[in-house]
């Protein structure tokens, strides 16, 4: 195994561990699952730093670890949607690499755009799961799809904003964390 690949795997393992720790520090928790924490930060960070594959693999590991640490399971497909697939979708943040952009404002816009891509992927997983398996929590007279949308956006939007702010601070004060050594500008 070459040195660069080993370094990438070590970074992925550290970010997965950090994401699990951050997921346990919750700002608030929803009644049927979902919470606001910093779990997205390490996954988005590794995705932006190392690319979409590293982000997806790290997200999958985080989802599986969350599953083992305590989860709500009502169906095998729901289990996949709400845990490994939802967190893997955050790895889609790596579709846009910051290293191709110069200028602080441009990099901030790209960072937030890439985070949004990952959050939309995660949202879709939870949204579908909410419609299919958690629809019985919907108040009478409310469309199930609307309830799932509002329920999931209630915690994902604040979590995205908090994560985006943290990543923006990292970009401004410790940008080397977002760029591998070979991609850094002099």
């Amino acid at each position: 195994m070459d040195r660069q690949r080993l370094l990438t795997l070590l970074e992925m393992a550290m970010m997965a561990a950090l994401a699990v720790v951050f997921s346990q520090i919750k700002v608030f928790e929803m009644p049927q699952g979902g919470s606001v924490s910093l779990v997205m930060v390490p996954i988005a960070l590794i995705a932006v730093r190392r690319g979409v594959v590293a982000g997806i693999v790290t997200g999958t590991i985080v989802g599986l670890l969350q599953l083992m640490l305590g989860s709500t399971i009502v169906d095998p497909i729901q289990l996949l949607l709400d845990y490994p697939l939802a967190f893997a979708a955050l790895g889609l943040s790596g579709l846009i690499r910051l290293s191709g952009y110069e200028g602080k404002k441009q990099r901030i816009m790209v960072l937030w755009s890439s985070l949004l891509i990952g959050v939309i992927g995660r949202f879709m997983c939870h949204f579908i799961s909410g419609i299919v398996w958690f629809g019985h929590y919907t108040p009478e007279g409310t469309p199930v799809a609307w309830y799932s949308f509002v329920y999931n956006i209630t915690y994902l939007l604040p979590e995205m904003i908090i994560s985006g702010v943290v990543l923006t601070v990292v970009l401004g004060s410790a940008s080397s964390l977002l760029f591998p050594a070979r991609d850094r500008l002099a």
Side-chain angles (χ1 to χ4, degrees):
M1 179 177 300
D2 69 20
R3 184 179 185 281
Q4 191 60 43
R5 186 170 176 199
L6 178 61
L7 183 60
T8 300
L9 290 172
L10 288 169
E11 288 176 7
M12 291 166 55
M14 289 189 310
M15 290 300 113
L18 191 58
V20 170
V21 170
F22 283 174
S23 74
Q24 301 304 308
I25 305 166
K26 299 171 183 165
V27 176
F28 74 88
E29 193 167 2
M30 298 293 284
Q32 287 89 41
S35 61
V36 174
S37 68
L38 292 175
V39 69
M40 286 192 220
V41 172
I43 300 169
L45 192 146
I46 196 69
V48 169
R49 180 177 169 87
R50 294 292 182 179
V52 70
V53 173
I56 289 172
V57 171
T58 303
T60 302
I61 292 167
V62 171
L64 292 171
L65 289 170
Q66 292 239 343
L67 189 60
M68 288 188 277
L69 293 173
S71 54
T72 302
I73 303 170
V74 295
D75 184 88
I77 305 297
Q78 171 268 328
L79 173 151
L80 290 173
L81 280 170
D82 280 341
Y83 296 97
L85 292 179
F87 288 96
L90 285 172
L92 295 174
S93 298
L95 286 172
I96 308 172
R97 299 287 295 271
L98 289 179
S99 59
Y101 298 89
E102 292 186 33
K104 187 174 182 176
K105 287 183 182 179
Q106 191 176 25
R107 283 186 172 172
I108 290 171
M109 290 301 296
V110 169
L111 179 66
W112 279 82
S113 298
S114 64
L115 182 61
L116 180 62
I117 291 168
V119 171
I120 288 171
R122 180 178 176 197
F123 170 80
M124 292 307 296
C125 291
H126 292 310
F127 177 71
I128 293 166
S129 175
I131 290 172
V132 177
W133 288 282
F134 294 98
H136 61 279
Y137 290 109
T138 304
E140 192 173 321
T142 304
V144 174
W146 177 248
Y147 181 77
S148 182
F149 175 85
V150 170
Y151 182 91
N152 287 296
I153 208 72
T154 299
Y155 70 91
L156 285 174
L157 185 60
E159 187 168 19
M160 183 190 117
I161 292 168
I162 292 168
S163 297
V165 168
V166 169
L167 288 167
T168 301
V169 169
V170 168
L171 181 63
S173 61
S175 63
S176 63
L177 292 175
L178 294 171
F179 301 98
R182 69 178 187 278
D183 290 343
R184 289 187 203 142
L185 299 173

